[in-house]
Structures are given as C-alpha cells and as structure tokens.
Amino acid sequence: MSSHLEEEIKQDVYHNEAGDHHHQIHHTQNEVQHGDHALKILGDERIELTEEDDRHIRRKTDKYILSILVWVYFLQILDKTVLGYGNVFGLSTDAHLVGNQYSLMATMNAIAQLAWQPFSSYLIVRVPSRYLMTILVFCWGAAQACMAASTSFGGLVATRFLLGLFEAGCLPLFSLITSQWYRRSEQPIRVAAWYSTNGLATMFASILSFGLGHITSTSVHAWQIIFIFVGIMTCLTAPFVYWLVDSDVASARFFDEREKAMAIERLRANQTGTGSNEFKWAHVWEMFYDVKSYLFLAMTLLLNIGAAVTNAFGPTLIANFGFDKYVTALLNMPFGALQFICILVASYAAAKWKFKAPVLAAFMVPVVAGLAMLYAEGISSTFRQPVALTGYYLLAFLFGGNPLIVSWMVANTAGQTKKSAVMSLFNAGSAVGNIVGPLLFDSKDKPHYIPGVRATLGVFCALIGVIGIQVFVLLSLNKVRQKQRVANGKPAVIVDTSMQDKYQAYGSGNDVLGQNALLDLTDYKNDEFVYVY
C-alpha cells in the first residue's frame, strides 16, 4: 500500500462540501481494498466544486470519452446493419440460401451474444475498458470483413456468429462506462448520444449500399464490397481506441490530480460507483433475486423483438412493397433519420422531466399505431404503398426505447459487478429478442408477413403493461430504503442531487451521508440509494 494511501486512511478530519463541518469519519483499510479505485484517490476527503468546475469536468469527459463511444458504437451498428442491405444486393442468391436460411443466419449474431453473456459480464469487470474495447473492436471488424469471403450458408453462419461474439460486450461495456463517468441526470443524454448512432448508421448504410452497389465486377459481388469496406474501417479504429480511451476516472490521463478528485466527487451522489476490477459473486446472486432485474429483462426482450424486425427485415420489407433494390436502399434513409431523432427526443424528454417510464410508454404508442397500419394494409384487398411505408416509418419510435431502458437500468443499479451482470442481462434479453423477432417472419408469409406483424403488435401492447409494473416496484423499493435509513439513524427522505440539472454537493449539512458512495455497494446494500422512475 502506498504511503499516500496510508495517509488517507489514517486521516481523522472529514471535510464536507461546505467546508465548515468536522467529523471523525474514515474508511477502513478493508473498505479501501474492496471499494472503487476512486476511493484510493479521494480517501475520506470531500472536495468542493463550483458549477464552473462541474461544467469543466463534464466537457473534458465528453471530449475524451463520449466522442469515442459515439464513433465505436456507430461502427458496431453499421457492421450489424449492413447484412440487410447485403441481402438486397444479392446475398441470398449468391450464397444459395433457401427457405429460412437467411433468417437463421441473421439470428446467429444474437445467438452468439446470448451464449457469451456470462463471460462478457466477467470480462467487463476484470479487464480494464481501454484494453477490452480495443480487442473487441478489432475482432468484430475482422469478423465482418471475413463475411465477404463466405459464399455458403455454413460460412455465413460461422462469421456471423463470430461477429456477435465480439459485439456481445459492447452495449454492457458502454453502459457501465457511461454510468461511471457521468452523473445520473447526465446519463440519458450521453446514452442517447452513442445509441442514436443506430439512426446515423442506418442512413450511412443506405448511402454506402447505394454507392457501392453500383460497382460492377466479375469477381466480387456488391454485398461483398460492402462487408469488406465496413470491416476494414472498424479494424483501423482499434489502435485509436487504445490510444485515446481511459478505463475509469481514477486512471484518466486527461485529468490532473485535482481534476480527478473533482470528477470523483461530482459522482458521489450517484451512489452507483465509479469502477472496480474486483468481481463479486454476491452482486451476481443479488441480481437473481432482484425483481426489477426481471422486469427490465422483459422490457428489453419485448422491445428488441420489434427492433429485430426493422434491423433484419426492414430493407427486405420495403423491397416487397414493390421498389427496386436501389430505391429500397434510399427509402431506408428516412427511417434512419427518424431513429436518430426519436432517440434524442426521448432521452432529452427523460432528462428534462426526470421521468423515464412515462416517456418510454409514450414512445411505444406510435409503434403500436405503425404496426396496426402495416397489418391493416397487409390484409386489405387494395394494398396502398404510401400508407404501409408510413406505418413502417412509425416503427422508428421504438428505437427511443432502448437508450431509455439502458439509462434506467444503470441509474437503478449499484455495484460494479451487479451493473455488469444486469447489463449483460439486458444484452441477453436483446439477443433473445433478436432471435425471436426474425423467426416471426417466415418467407412463406411474403410479401406482407401478416402473422409476424400481428404477433409484434401484441408484443408492444404487453411492453406498455410491463413498464407500469416496474414503476410500482421501484416506488416500493424506495419505501424499503427509507425504512432502512431510519433504522440506521439517517433521515428517511434525502435529496437526490444526482438528478438535479445543476451540481449540488451531496449530503450538505449532514456529515453522515455520502460515506457509502465509493464502497462498491449494491443498491440493496446501500441504504442511501434512491431509485428513479
């Protein structure tokens, strides 16, 4: 143990945010050993921050962390999305796919993600983000490029599986990174920033496919050119990730020592931790008996059944409206633009009004309407393309849901291992949704896939009901925490400064509050935790 750390542990004077109270509080050596990395830097000291300090730290974090998350997530979505465009440009024909082979191949990405989640959860905790992200980016880029060399069902299945394997840790990792660098009030917008690249990647894939699809070659097919291009672009990004990304606040190279301390202090009110590499099995067990985990899983599963429909079958569905392959590629651009807008608007609304559940439920209503339009046109004797296309575009509202669920989950889960496990559970639900979704759309139901559209309509109605149940559970859990605080001599009601727009020091005027924030405690073990809904 360093002399600096020993000095911090021995420290008897506690400095609160206002700087005018003194209290004999210090963390034990065991707490420092098993707590966040940040505890070793900050120790028992409280740091004073001004509003300008808070903005300065946030701006630097956006510049060095958020910018990389946005670009890398864009690549991950692009690599996954181009499969649908590859199919428009002859993938199924050239690879001699028949029956449901395209559907099965498309689901291999999700099957790999589902199978890899337990390992992903462990690696996210144990391996520093800087190294893990670099490896994942290079490997999934290589897998995407190798898909171009696959000209049979077996080869496509294998490379698609590898792509899913290496992408499996992306969303859980990015969710944890966001939670340990930003205050809870800031998280919805930051999650939206990188998740909204769903829409940007869809638009870029449309333009890219339109352009590369016009290349004529006797040796390389258009879909192969598309796969090679995006795969190489991803691989070339990996060295920049290693060069630019830092694993957590405690190891941030772009902060000086004073800035590190301020960056840690501003996160104290989150009560969700700032990062630890100790994998704690107790956190995993807690996830399994935590009711809200299963409700978040249900939400994720239901939502991503619908998302799978748009990712895997969107371009194909438009093509079945009667457009040629070039117009099909371009017609998916408005859908991508709508995705982008919906994600940003939904997350902005959640951040502005401090409620996620009502916003999430509201964004599912246009999705239900869109599916109803697709169903009605599909069974009608006079199919109207403009109405069906409008119904399809309304499905873009569902993409506002996933970032809300992600930010809702990380805001209501504490402890590094538990957060990793819960976000892996999210990815598992997403994977199952992506497996089930395409299977609802059988090739024999072309051109309008009526049974699949009908089933998806029921799924989104059920999702709205699950959101309501989760709100009830979170309200109940807050009452339980209030009773715990009273039993431990703390106030029943505490001000959740993590959800305020402007920075306010946590626990001002009460020396007892704030000591749990960096101990890597779960939300069940931390009596100061406040659930948000």
Side-chain angles (χ1 to χ4, degrees):
M1 183 181 297
S2 68
S3 57
H4 172 73
L5 180 55
E6 290 174 350
E7 184 64 27
E8 293 283 20
I9 295 173
K10 293 176 183 177
Q11 188 176 354
D12 288 326
V13 179
Y14 164 87
H15 304 282
N16 78 347
E17 295 87 347
D20 57 2
H21 293 279
H22 298 280
H23 193 71
Q24 300 295 319
I25 297 176
H26 66 272
H27 292 105
T28 67
Q29 183 171 339
N30 184 65
E31 288 175 333
V32 173
Q33 180 182 352
H34 296 289
D36 291 353
H37 297 311
L39 188 58
K40 299 175 178 63
I41 292 179
L42 204 59
D44 303 323
E45 189 175 3
R46 296 288 185 95
I47 305 298
E48 287 190 58
L49 273 81
T50 64
E51 182 62 27
E52 179 55 37
D53 291 332
D54 181 62
R55 286 195 297 267
H56 171 70
I57 296 298
R58 185 172 60 246
R59 284 194 297 265
K60 289 193 77 170
T61 305
D62 286 342
K63 178 181 178 180
Y64 289 98
I65 298 299
L66 185 62
S67 59
I68 295 297
L69 297 184
V70 168
W71 173 245
V72 173
Y73 202 78
F74 168 83
L75 291 176
Q76 188 249 343
I77 296 299
L78 179 64
D79 290 344
K80 187 163 53 178
T81 301
V82 290
L83 178 66
Y85 295 96
N87 196 42
V88 171
F89 283 92
L91 170 63
S92 292
T93 301
D94 296 331
H96 310 292
L97 303 183
V98 296
N100 282 337
Q101 285 187 335
Y102 174 76
S103 302
L104 292 172
M105 183 267 294
T107 61
M108 291 311 297
N109 180 283
I111 291 172
Q113 290 196 25
L114 180 61
W116 190 247
Q117 283 317 303
F119 306 99
S120 175
S121 178
Y122 180 80
L123 290 174
I124 287 171
V125 175
R126 295 293 295 158
V127 181
S129 303
R130 181 186 182 191
Y131 304 106
L132 183 60
M133 194 189 304
T134 301
I135 294 169
L136 294 179
V137 169
F138 181 83
C139 290
W140 89 55
Q144 177 63 53
C146 287
M147 281 192 73
S150 306
T151 56
S152 66
F153 175 66
L156 288 169
V157 164
T159 49
R160 184 73 175 173
F161 183 88
L162 289 174
L163 179 67
L165 187 74
F166 294 116
E167 286 184 343
C170 183
L171 192 143
L173 177 62
F174 280 34
S175 302
L176 259 70
I177 290 173
T178 305
S179 73
Q180 63 192 37
W181 285 89
Y182 292 100
R183 296 171 59 225
R184 291 204 293 185
S185 62
E186 300 162 352
Q187 289 169 11
I189 297 298
R190 270 67 190 182
V191 171
W194 51 262
Y195 195 89
S196 64
T197 58
N198 267 286
L200 297 179
T202 300
M203 289 188 288
F204 183 75
S206 296
I207 298 171
L208 185 70
S209 300
F210 181 81
L212 298 181
H214 281 84
I215 297 176
T216 56
S217 172
T218 57
S219 56
V220 183
H221 299 293
W223 60 270
Q224 291 175 313
I225 296 173
I226 295 169
F227 290 177
I228 291 170
F229 183 89
V230 298
I232 291 176
M233 186 165 59
T234 301
C235 288
L236 291 176
T237 295
F240 292 95
V241 172
Y242 178 79
W243 179 39
L244 295 171
V245 167
D246 288 305
S247 297
D248 54 31
V249 176
S251 63
R253 291 164 292 171
F254 58 88
F255 286 148
D256 59 32
E257 293 305 310
R258 172 67 178 172
E259 288 173 331
K260 284 183 183 179
M262 290 192 295
I264 294 166
E265 184 62 52
R266 70 187 290 271
L267 300 174
R268 186 184 295 275
N270 284 0
Q271 298 292 331
T272 57
T274 60
S276 167
N277 292 122
E278 181 181 356
F279 192 87
K280 300 175 180 177
W281 283 105
H283 289 201
V284 178
W285 308 140
E286 182 176 303
M287 179 197 71
F288 283 117
Y289 64 75
D290 186 350
V291 176
K292 71 179 189 295
S293 298
Y294 294 100
L295 291 170
F296 280 131
L297 173 62
M299 282 186 230
T300 307
L301 171 63
L302 295 170
L303 183 67
N304 284 281
I305 287 175
V309 172
T310 61
N311 287 335
F313 280 94
T316 305
L317 199 62
I318 292 178
N320 286 331
F321 289 164
F323 302 108
D324 66 31
K325 59 186 179 181
Y326 298 109
V327 174
T328 295
L330 293 178
L331 281 176
N332 222 40
M333 287 181 63
F335 187 78
L338 277 173
Q339 286 184 43
F340 181 71
I341 293 169
C342 288
I343 290 169
L344 293 182
V345 170
S347 296
Y348 175 80
K352 181 72 174 177
W353 297 326
K354 312 304 179 191
F355 292 108
K356 296 177 178 65
V359 177
L360 179 58
F363 267 69
M364 294 306 104
V365 173
V367 179
V368 171
L371 288 165
M373 291 169 68
L374 284 173
Y375 180 75
E377 289 305 309
I379 63 175
S380 173
S381 58
T382 56
F383 183 82
R384 293 170 296 177
Q385 284 185 355
V387 176
L389 195 60
T390 301
Y392 171 70
Y393 286 158
L394 285 175
L395 301 187
F397 279 82
L398 71 87
F399 287 93
N402 265 331
L404 288 182
I405 294 175
V406 168
S407 60
W408 201 7
M409 290 174 76
V410 296
N412 283 305
T413 309
Q416 184 76 352
T417 302
K418 186 178 181 184
K419 280 190 293 184
S420 175
V422 165
M423 292 318 303
S424 291
L425 194 67
F426 172 92
N427 233 25
S430 177
V432 173
N434 282 310
I435 292 169
V436 173
L439 295 178
L440 295 176
F441 289 74
D442 198 297
S443 58
K444 67 180 177 62
D445 297 321
K446 288 182 179 180
H448 304 308
Y449 299 102
I450 299 304
V453 171
R454 183 172 56 236
T456 309
L457 180 59
V459 160
F460 278 98
C461 291
L463 172 59
I464 295 173
V466 173
I467 294 169
I469 296 172
Q470 184 71 295
V471 171
F472 173 78
V473 168
L474 293 172
L475 288 170
S476 301
L477 287 173
N478 269 337
K479 293 185 181 297
V480 172
R481 298 295 166 268
Q482 288 176 358
K483 292 178 180 179
Q484 287 179 338
R485 287 194 288 272
V486 171
N488 293 333
K490 298 178 181 180
V493 178
I494 57 178
V495 178
D496 181 14
T497 59
S498 73
M499 291 297 293
Q500 295 180 349
D501 292 328
K502 293 186 177 181
Y503 174 78
Q504 180 180 333
Y506 179 72
S508 295
N510 191 321
D511 292 345
V512 177
L513 299 177
Q515 291 300 301
N516 295 339
L518 303 178
L519 299 182
D520 196 29
L521 297 176
T522 65
D523 50 287
Y524 272 32
K525 301 299 182 184
N526 185 354
D527 60 1
E528 295 179 24
F529 197 89
V530 177
Y531 296 95
V532 295
Y533 44 85

